[in-house]
Amino acid sequence: MESTNPIVEQEADRKDRRRLPMIGLALSALYVAGLVAYLFWQGQNPADLKLNELGDFLGGVSSPLAFLWLVLGFFQQSREIRLSGKALQLQAREMRRSVDEHRRIAGAGEGGGAS
């Protein structure tokens, strides 16, 4: 039988839940800072581009960020599914205990009746 503290588990779960978005924000900020630095050192200004070139530029610049957040979302969803499975296992275990207890009570009631 596991003897873990539910409060400690909730705190660890809360920290885990915040970790992926913080990683995503940090990597996004690093990517944008690197992009701005690259454009500055190259002496390029995206505002000088024609509309079709600007659209290509924005599409190319935003696709790595979109992929990053897609991957982070996949990891988050995987984690949530794993936690849901664990909760279902605990619920099934508790239901088995309840059924066993009801059987025990029903068995005791049958044996203790008047003849």
Side-chain angles (χ1 to χ4, degrees):
M1 218 186 268
E2 297 177 14
S3 61
T4 57
N5 187 349
I7 296 172
V8 173
E9 280 185 18
Q10 285 178 345
E11 187 63 30
D13 196 34
R14 194 175 301 132
K15 286 180 182 178
D16 272 352
R17 202 173 290 139
R18 286 189 213 138
R19 185 174 38 179
L20 281 177
M22 295 307 283
I23 290 171
L25 288 173
L27 289 175
S28 295
L30 185 65
Y31 176 75
V32 169
L35 177 67
V36 169
Y38 174 76
L39 290 174
F40 179 74
W41 282 315
Q42 292 294 317
Q44 297 182 3
N45 185 0
D48 295 338
L49 298 174
K50 297 177 190 173
L51 282 180
N52 64 334
E53 293 171 346
L54 181 62
D56 291 342
F57 170 76
L58 291 176
V61 165
S62 63
S63 62
L65 287 175
F67 186 71
L68 167 71
W69 285 98
L70 176 72
V71 169
L72 290 175
F74 173 76
F75 284 127
Q76 181 72 22
Q77 188 176 26
S78 172
R79 183 184 163 282
E80 293 295 329
I81 289 171
R82 189 172 49 250
L83 288 175
S84 178
K86 187 186 293 185
L88 284 172
Q89 286 177 346
L90 290 173
Q91 186 178 11
R93 185 183 314 155
E94 195 58 38
M95 287 186 75
R96 270 188 243 114
R97 287 181 187 159
S98 176
V99 167
D100 291 343
E101 183 65 20
H102 286 301
R103 284 183 182 153
R104 187 187 63 79
I105 292 171
E110 289 175 4
S115 304

